[in-house]
Amino acid sequence: MTDVSTVVAAGAINASKIYGKDDSEVRALDDVTVNFVLGQFTAIMGPSGSGKSTLMHCLAGLDALTSGRVLIGDTDLAQLDDKQLTSLRREKIGFIFQAYNLIPTLSALENITLPMDLGGVKPDQEWLDTVIDKMNLRNRLSHRPSELSGGQQQRVAVARALASRPQIIFADEPTGNLDSKTGAEILAFMKHAVTDLHQTIVMVTHDPVAAAYADRVIFLADGKVVDEIENPTSELVLDRMKRLGS
Amino acid sequence: MTSPVVRLTLRGVLARKFRILLTILAVVSGVAFVSGAFILTDSVKGAINNLFVELRGDVDLEVRSTIAFGDAARAERDPVPISMMKDIAALDGVRLVEANLLRQATIIKPDGEPLKTSGPAFGISWNGPDGLDGRTLLEGVIPTKAGEVAIDKASAKRAGYVLGDTVVIVGPIGKGEFTLVGLTGTGSTSGGGGASVCAFDPITANEFLGADNKADSIYIGVTPSAASSAVQKAIEKVLPSGYEVITGEQSAKETAGAINEIIDVFGKVLLGFAAISLFVSAFLIFNTFAIIVSQRLRELALLRAVGASTRQIHQMIIGEGLVVGIVATGLGLLGGLGVAKGITALFNAAGAAFPAADLMISSRTILLSVVIGIGVTLAAAIVPAIRAGRIPPVAAMRPELGFSALQRSKRLVVGIVTLFSGITLFSVGLFVQPGGTVGTLGGSAIGAVLLFLGVASLSTTVAAPASRAISRILPFPLRPMTNSVPGRLASRNAQRTPRRTASTASALMVGLALVSMVSVVAASVKKSFTDQLKASVTADFFVTNLSFQGLPVAFGERLAELPELGSVSPFRATRALINGEEKQIGAVKPEMGDLVDIDIQKGSIDSLVDGNILLHTDPARDLNVGIGDTVDVTWQNGTTSTLTVGAIYADSTVAGNWLIGLDTLAEVSSAPPVDFFIGAKIADGVSIEDARTAVDKVAADFPSAEVQDQAEFQKSQEDQLNQLLAIVYGLLIFAIFIAVLGIANTMALSVFERTHEFGLLRAVGMSRRHLKRSVRWEAIIVSVFGATLGIVVGIPLGIAVSIALPDSFVTATVIPLSTIVTILIASIVVGIFAAIFPARRAAKLDVLDAIATH
């Protein structure tokens, strides 16, 4: 029997990503090997240009590696064609972006169920209700994104990512566009999703306060994993960042 | 549960309803023209068929002379002697026998001018509403004796005559005065379908219409108890050879069919222009969808990221095209009713008196409109949809990665291949078989379409440098555009999105290329015509007819008697079968030699008498005949002649390819003769004024005749050509109007896209006026670019067509510079016009809101 806490939800093995050619070559990822454990909230940190966004794009099947492998569960993404990648994103992966998370023409509820609607799958109503209540969106479901506040929009985005009960959720600076109070609220919701609903979240951020919500922080610099902290606090993260920057 | 694709599609359309409104409008107008053409022709044809069913409703059988070849309805038939009526009336089962006689007869208005009609002016023999003719008597009594006439109520009203008035009417052999005793109607209308109809009793008609106891045909009514087919057989037995008896139904069908063919031609012209405007609309649709896709880049990428497949994205964009197509087709069908009504009203206002028709929308009209309207929209939306499907999901986070997907294309290669296959097809169609068949002409049309598409595709490559050049060259009030900030911004914006600039300009290019092409061909035809006329026509006077019915023979005969005139010759025409082919044969007097220089190569013009024929060099070569050889001719009434070649000539401008003497024509045909035109030369020593006075005096008795001297004749011919051109230009303007909509639409979409940028410009101090100017100038750059492309493409096309047209038609190629300058100036106006609303919108933006927009 394997302990639940050590099952790998996703991982990168010797992952490299190179943009451009010859002189203008940029090594965005340089032989990165990293695992994300099921039921954990992981933060990826690093200065601008460290490769943290590229790592996430490649992990999520949005972008292809130059070399190395990415696994979601036991699926090797390199083996999938566009069609299989599409259904993988729909069924196994959830996304939360910094902004522009929602389709402006669809209501909050329609946005939440969109991945399942696209896949022609009926949502699990009980789970959906749990997610909606957890995100405190019950009385906002018929609203269009333009009628929601920034925080409410991000909550809808979190709910959408959770709704299909994916294997792993990727969040790209989910609080980058929010004020600190609303940001904290969203992070709390994400934390609940991990602790109460047993979801797995990988979040890219440059904010030490946000990173402190995670169970584990991975530091990237110049395309390489340079450090890692378990059960971080914001002071600890800030301290580590300062050292990396110097 | 609705599928998410359907939901996204519908919501997407609703969210952008104003942005796609103009797109819908463009498709609507194209579909409206297509369906309008069908609705109009169906309705008018239906009404005309009904009219003939009513007019001939009581005619069970008709006796007429037979023809050897040609179209049954338009053939020149020999008349039927009235004496034959007695034998037929004596047969069992025959209830009524009437002479059908219809000749040219013009009503003179109280002021002495002839009543102008859009249709022919007729005089007929009439036995009243109880007879076989279906005409109704609306007021008064039927004419029963000499000096009485009934006129169709609409014409009487237009001429200003009431019952009891004395009416002057000019018939084929002269003028007469009649008392107006009755007003007639046809079917449910009070008119004659655009014609004026004077009805006389049979004896008066025979005399006044110069029928010489012969009728065009004989109408027969059958007693109700007798079987029509049995009576038909009985009549067949008593008929001498050269005559036939047909059912009234067939006769009505033939006559209606001949008119329907004319209406069909009209419908086809409308369809041609519908095709052009739809083609231009396709550019607009394509452009709008392409822009909307790039504006929704992040949204589409987000959909891909959360699990939408490429196919679902395709379905979404195509679906939006489908919605636009369905809405536009529905509105277009309604618009078609409007187009049909509008054209009918327009023509009726001009006096055409289309019969009152219920507008008919046949299932074919609906089916074709749906196929065309939706088909064009979908075809135009396919490429933007494919591009949208290529947007990578990662663009949801990094939009800059998405644009490269939108810009990938093998444009240059595809463009060049398309252009050259277009040029090849076009040239093959024009030159391989001069004169062309329907197939090769269709090839030319497809070639032109490919050519336009090729140019549109390649124009993307030159859009940026061309925009830069235009903005440098265009002399804006006092200083070049690029010297001011708004001018520079306009220029850079046009260069920034070369693909958009190019496809917007291309819509205008198509319209203006056609205009330039037509103007080159028209100028060439005009020049050639004038040159040829000057070179070959030596007559001093021409007499033509105001309507297309030709001139009464009596007029030419009286002109010939005038001492003030020297040579006078009418020009008649007939049809004959030569070597198995139907040909038009001209019939003239030998005096024609003094009036028209036909450039005789061999023989003499004096041979134009008894049993001789004169040939143009082309048919002489084809038949391999020379002077003294014989040509076998079958005339339409079945008579055959063997004619001797008397001369061979080289100029067919006026004379056509075959000429015989008037005496030869009279020998072989007894169909009532009509002169198409008459040429006359002034006698030696007579002044032009005296001659004119003498001719005008004779012409006073023939009000439908128009006497012209050389200069007037030339001018009237040019006027006719100009009128035709005005119609063509008018219809092309419609296509240009759609192109202008396209420019307005693109500018509006660009303004929307640049909201943030405009906010920034305003924030750093640009005035509303400057912002407006910048938008306006960009529109001007785009339209001047389109106009230049149009001229560059259109002029060579025009030259090619001019060269391909037969030499008898076009001998010189002329490029009308004034038209080209007009097009360029007009394109600037077009740009200003198209920018009105987008510029206003840009200027209205609130600075803070605009900056906050992404």
Side-chain angles (χ1 to χ4, degrees), chain B residues 65-149:
Chain B
S65 55
T66 53
I67 50 169
F69 62 89
D71 182 81
R74 275 186 292 242
E76 294 163 26
R77 289 175 194 277
D78 284 350
V80 184
I82 294 181
S83 57
M84 209 185 272
M85 288 165 66
K86 253 186 295 166
D87 303 333
I88 295 168
L91 294 171
D92 280 345
V94 173
R95 180 173 64 91
L96 261 180
V97 181
E98 277 180 15
N100 164 36
L101 182 61
L102 181 146
R103 292 294 147 81
Q104 189 180 345
T106 311
I107 301 169
I108 306 300
K109 292 190 290 186
D111 63 5
E113 290 295 310
L115 177 70
K116 288 205 168 95
T117 53
S118 59
F122 287 144
I124 60 163
S125 159
W126 194 42
N127 292 60
D130 294 335
L132 296 174
D133 185 282
R135 223 165 293 278
T136 54
L137 183 69
L138 298 173
E139 279 175 48
V141 295
I142 61 168
T144 50
K145 55 177 186 284
E148 288 185 351
V149 70

Side-chain angles (χ1 to χ4, degrees), chain B residues 199-214:
Chain B
F200 308 96
D201 73 275
I203 296 165
T204 310
N206 181 47
E207 278 170 22
F208 180 65
L209 299 178
D212 197 17
N213 291 321
K214 286 173 189 158

Side-chain angles (χ1 to χ4, degrees), chain B residues 668 677 745 757:
Chain B
V668 297
F677 67 85
N745 203 21
E757 193 179 312

Side-chain angles (χ1 to χ4, degrees), chain A residues 19 54 56-57 61-63 82 86 89-90 95 97 99-107 110 113-115 117-119 121-122 144 160 172, chain B residues 1-5 7-8 11-12 15-16 295-296 298-300 302-312 392-394 396-398 401:
Chain A
Y19 290 111
T54 307
M56 194 189 72
H57 295 161
L62 294 173
D63 208 348
D82 182 69
T86 300
R89 280 199 299 272
R90 210 159 51 205
F95 287 105
F97 303 132
Y100 211 89
N101 253 308
L102 307 177
I103 302 296
T105 53
L106 299 181
S107 71
E110 286 164 345
T113 58
L114 182 61
D117 287 347
L118 285 168
V121 180
K122 225 177 143 57
R144 293 281 175 92
R160 181 192 58 208
D172 184 14
Chain B
M1 189 179 94
T2 34
S3 105
V5 174
R7 191 191 299 146
L8 282 164
R11 299 269 175 83
R16 292 168 192 83
Q295 287 179 352
R296 293 160 76 184
R298 291 194 79 168
E299 182 185 330
L300 294 169
L302 175 66
L303 279 169
R304 289 282 285 127
V306 300
S309 64
T310 308
R311 230 182 98 208
Q312 282 171 320
V394 71
M397 280 161 286
R398 297 176 61 182
L401 290 179

Side-chain angles (χ1 to χ4, degrees), chain B residues 135 203 277 344 467-468 624 700:
Chain B
R135 223 165 293 278
I203 296 165
S277 60
T344 312
S467 301
R468 195 172 334 139
N624 194 21

Side-chain angles (χ1 to χ4, degrees), chain A residues 16-19 25-31 49-50 222-223:
Chain A
S16 291
K17 174 79 184 176
I18 299 164
Y19 290 111
E25 186 180 289
V26 176
R27 211 166 261 269
L29 289 179
D30 191 358
D31 198 26
S50 61
D222 299 326

Side-chain angles (χ1 to χ4, degrees), chain B residues 21-97:
Chain B
L21 196 68
L22 287 174
T23 318
I24 291 182
L25 202 62
V27 185
V28 166
S29 45
V31 173
F33 259 72
V34 172
S35 59
F38 283 117
I39 293 171
L40 183 71
T41 49
D42 285 352
S43 308
V44 173
K45 274 154 81 172
I48 282 171
N49 286 336
N50 286 342
L51 194 72
F52 277 97
V53 167
E54 277 179 47
L55 270 177
R56 304 273 177 84
D58 293 329
V59 178
D60 297 310
L61 299 168
E62 182 176 355
V63 170
R64 63 184 185 189
S65 55
T66 53
I67 50 169
F69 62 89
D71 182 81
R74 275 186 292 242
E76 294 163 26
R77 289 175 194 277
D78 284 350
V80 184
I82 294 181
S83 57
M84 209 185 272
M85 288 165 66
K86 253 186 295 166
D87 303 333
I88 295 168
L91 294 171
D92 280 345
V94 173
R95 180 173 64 91
L96 261 180
V97 181

Side-chain angles (χ1 to χ4, degrees), chain B residues 429-438 440-441 804-806:
Chain B
L430 276 186
F431 295 109
V432 168
Q433 198 182 349
T437 60
V438 177
T440 55
L441 283 180
L805 282 172

